[in-house]
């Protein structure tokens, strides 16, 4: 137990004790000092000292004694002291920068959502205009929630494209001016806290594993089924990005021999679908549902391509579960044909489920990444590096 250690760095010992106590507090509701002693295994004097320090930082608050059969109820003498984690001491943001919209979710330090906002944007916006829209939506969310920008502890951001670990978009053809954009550097100018940039499908996989269809499954493929499908993969519960962040870019398979493009796959006229946008695709899918035979054949071609793309990942990773998101999640009866065809293309067919988090799945994944960053700060034992410290300066 941490307070039984002797010698060594006393400040390290204090940080260990603080992390153990804070973790115990953050996992539940208000608890007594006696309960904390039992939960942490630390001595009562140690817990008392740690609690005093956490109260001074604003992360913990003493609350009124609870009633109704709680520990210490009915005993004579000094009443039990109760404490709780102050999740409202800071906030985090999850941001999706999409082709057609900007979505933002605001949460407290426990990950509880306290605000959100959605704004449609034009597909033709250049990078500067799109970033200006992001800043505007952030300001609106914070204003409505009454939260100061200085109160943000971490920001997660999702975007289409291949993103390296520093937050530069190595390839992003879905939005003008996006390829080569140092998105991380640009957004870090707007926040005084860590900013993490990640591919949208990767974040969707993280979100569904956190609160959606993939809870409890550690080997997962999330398919963002759009005009150019992408995928995010979790292996043993951890995101697999690949060496350069390009893992899961199954939309590029037509460059490797599958030469029929989505414009032709979904065509009902014999000519490429033009314009190729979600409205045009939705029309084809609607016609197929209504019984139009040509549209049904076009939809079938598209699903076949999707299955072939997904099968490539399934064969490589052998996931327990494939989660289908994007607009394909709205296809009537999509699960059965996907299951059947994956069984034909793979050695062991995985489970297949529709995404559960809907249109906010990427923003929620970004929120989870921000929450991970917060937990690293809260439960850090080693002192922050100069770089991490400067992010909060």
């Amino acid at each position: 137990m941490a307070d039984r250690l002797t010698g060594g760095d006393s400040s390290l010992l204090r940080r260990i004790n603080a992390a153990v106590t804070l973790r115990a507090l953050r996992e539940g509701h208000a608890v007594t000092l006696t309960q904390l002693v039992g939960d942490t295994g630390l001595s009562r004097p140690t817990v008392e000292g740690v609690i005093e320090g956490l109260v001074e930082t604003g992360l913990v608050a003493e609350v009124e004694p609870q009633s109704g059969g709680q520990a210490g109820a009915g005993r004579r003498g000094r009443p039990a002291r109760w404490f709780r984690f102050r999740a409202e001491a800071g906030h985090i943001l999850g941001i999706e920068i999409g082709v057609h919209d900007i979505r933002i979710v605001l949460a407290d330090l426990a990950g509880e959502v306290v605000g959100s906002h959605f704004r449609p944007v034009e597909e033709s916006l250049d990078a500067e205009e799109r970033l200006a829209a992001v800043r505007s939506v952030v300001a609106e969310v914070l204003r409505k929630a009454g939260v100061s920008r200085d109160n943000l502890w971490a920001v997660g951001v999702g975007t289409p494209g291949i993103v390296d670990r520093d937050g530069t978009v190595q390839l992003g053809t879905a939005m003008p001016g996006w390829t080569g954009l140092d998105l991380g550097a640009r957004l870090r100018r707007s926040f005084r806290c860590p900013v993490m940039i990640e591919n949208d499908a990767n974040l969707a996989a993280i979100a569904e594993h956190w609160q959606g269809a993939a809870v409890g499954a550690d080997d997962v493929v999330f398919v963002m089924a759009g005009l150019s499908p992408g995928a995010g993969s979790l292996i043993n519960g951890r995101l697999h990005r690949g060496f350069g962040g390009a893992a899961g870019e199954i939309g590029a398979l037509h460059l490797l021999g599958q030469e029929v493009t989505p414009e032709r796959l979904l065509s009902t006229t014999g000519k490429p679908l033009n314009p190729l946008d979600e409205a045009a695709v939705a029309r084809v899918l609607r016609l197929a549902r209504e019984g139009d035979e040509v549209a049904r054949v076009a939809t079938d071609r598209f699903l076949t391509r999707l299955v072939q793309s997904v099968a490539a990942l399934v064969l490589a990773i052998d996931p327990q579960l494939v989660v289908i998101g994007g607009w394909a999640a709205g296809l009537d009866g999509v699960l059965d044909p996907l299951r059947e065809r994956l069984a034909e293309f793979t050695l062991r067919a995985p489970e297949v489920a529709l995404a559960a988090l809907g249109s906010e799945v990427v923003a929620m994944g970004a929120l989870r990444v921000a929450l991970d960053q917060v937990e690293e700060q809260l439960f850090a034992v080693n002192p922050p590096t100069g770089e991490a410290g400067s992010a909060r300066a």
Side-chain angles (χ1 to χ4, degrees):
M1 298 177 190
D3 61 340
R4 294 180 184 174
L5 298 175
T6 58
D9 185 353
S10 61
S11 65
L12 174 61
L13 185 59
R14 287 195 299 270
R15 291 195 297 272
I16 293 173
N17 292 339
V20 169
T21 303
L22 191 57
R23 190 179 293 276
L25 272 168
R26 190 168 178 266
E27 289 177 352
H29 300 291
V31 295
T32 65
L33 199 62
T34 300
Q35 287 173 320
L36 281 174
V37 170
D39 291 343
T40 62
L42 302 175
S43 69
R44 190 178 186 91
T46 295
V47 173
E48 288 177 335
V50 168
I51 285 292
E52 286 182 10
L54 293 173
V55 169
E56 289 178 3
T57 67
L59 287 173
V60 172
E62 186 168 2
V63 296
E64 291 297 321
Q66 308 292 305
S67 61
Q70 299 289 348
R75 296 179 182 174
R76 296 182 178 180
R78 188 173 59 183
R81 297 178 67 190
W82 291 76
F83 299 91
R84 70 171 181 88
F85 173 68
R86 292 188 68 248
E88 70 274 19
H91 291 83
I92 56 178
L93 281 178
I95 302 174
E96 178 188 7
I97 305 176
V99 177
H100 301 289
D101 50 58
I102 308 294
R103 292 182 182 273
I104 295 186
V105 180
L106 174 71
D108 63 21
L109 295 184
E112 292 295 321
V113 174
V114 298
S116 62
H117 197 65
F118 157 78
R119 180 182 297 177
V121 294
E122 293 294 330
E123 183 178 355
S124 60
L125 289 183
D126 64 26
E128 293 301 325
E129 293 169 324
R130 201 173 297 273
L131 289 174
V134 171
R135 289 190 287 268
S136 175
V137 179
V138 167
E140 181 70 8
V141 169
L142 296 179
R143 183 188 65 79
K144 286 185 175 180
V147 172
S148 166
R149 189 177 294 262
D150 290 338
N151 193 248
L152 293 175
W153 281 44
V155 176
V157 182
T159 174
I162 298 172
V163 183
D164 68 19
R165 296 184 184 278
D166 294 326
T168 297
V169 182
Q170 297 294 332
L171 180 64
T173 59
M175 299 184 293
W178 221 242
T179 296
L181 178 68
D182 191 344
L183 186 58
R186 296 298 301 275
L187 289 179
R188 289 180 188 112
R189 299 174 190 172
S190 300
F191 300 101
R192 301 181 65 186
C193 64
V195 178
M196 287 69 63
I197 315 294
E198 187 54 85
N199 168 267
D200 53 1
N202 287 347
L203 292 179
I206 290 170
E208 290 288 335
H209 184 253
W210 178 31
Q211 293 186 355
V215 171
D218 284 343
D219 293 278
V220 179
V221 167
F222 178 95
V223 179
M224 186 75 75
L227 301 178
S228 179
S233 302
L234 302 181
I235 301 175
N236 292 327
R238 298 179 64 86
L239 179 67
H240 177 69
R241 303 184 74 258
F243 178 77
E249 292 294 332
I250 56 178
L253 282 174
H254 71 274
L255 300 175
L256 305 176
Q258 297 191 47
E259 67 282 349
V260 181
T261 62
E263 293 96 319
R264 292 190 177 278
L265 284 173
L266 287 164
S267 172
T268 58
T269 63
K271 298 180 180 180
L273 198 63
N274 186 22
L276 179 64
D277 56 24
E278 292 182 12
V281 172
R283 177 178 177 275
V284 175
L285 301 180
R286 176 176 55 79
L287 289 173
R289 289 195 299 269
E290 293 173 353
D292 185 288
E293 181 62 19
V294 176
R296 188 196 64 77
V297 171
T299 300
D300 187 69
R301 286 197 303 263
F302 180 79
L303 284 177
T304 298
R305 164 68 71 80
L306 180 62
V307 169
Q308 291 172 345
S309 299
V310 175
L313 274 179
V314 170
L315 286 169
I317 296 175
D318 185 28
Q320 173 186 346
L321 175 66
V322 172
V323 180
I324 304 297
W327 51 256
L331 287 175
D332 291 339
V334 69
L335 288 188
D336 286 341
L338 279 174
R339 290 190 185 105
E340 293 170 3
R341 297 183 193 187
L342 276 176
E344 296 174 5
F345 283 100
T346 60
L347 299 177
R348 188 200 64 81
E351 301 172 36
V352 180
L354 293 180
L357 297 181
S359 59
E360 290 191 338
V361 64
V362 174
M364 289 299 293
L367 192 72
R368 178 65 252 187
V369 168
L371 189 59
D372 289 342
Q373 173 67 29
V374 164
E375 290 178 346
E376 287 185 15
Q377 295 180 50
L378 288 175
F379 306 134
V381 171
N382 294 320
T385 64
E387 180 179 356
S390 65
R392 291 279 297 161

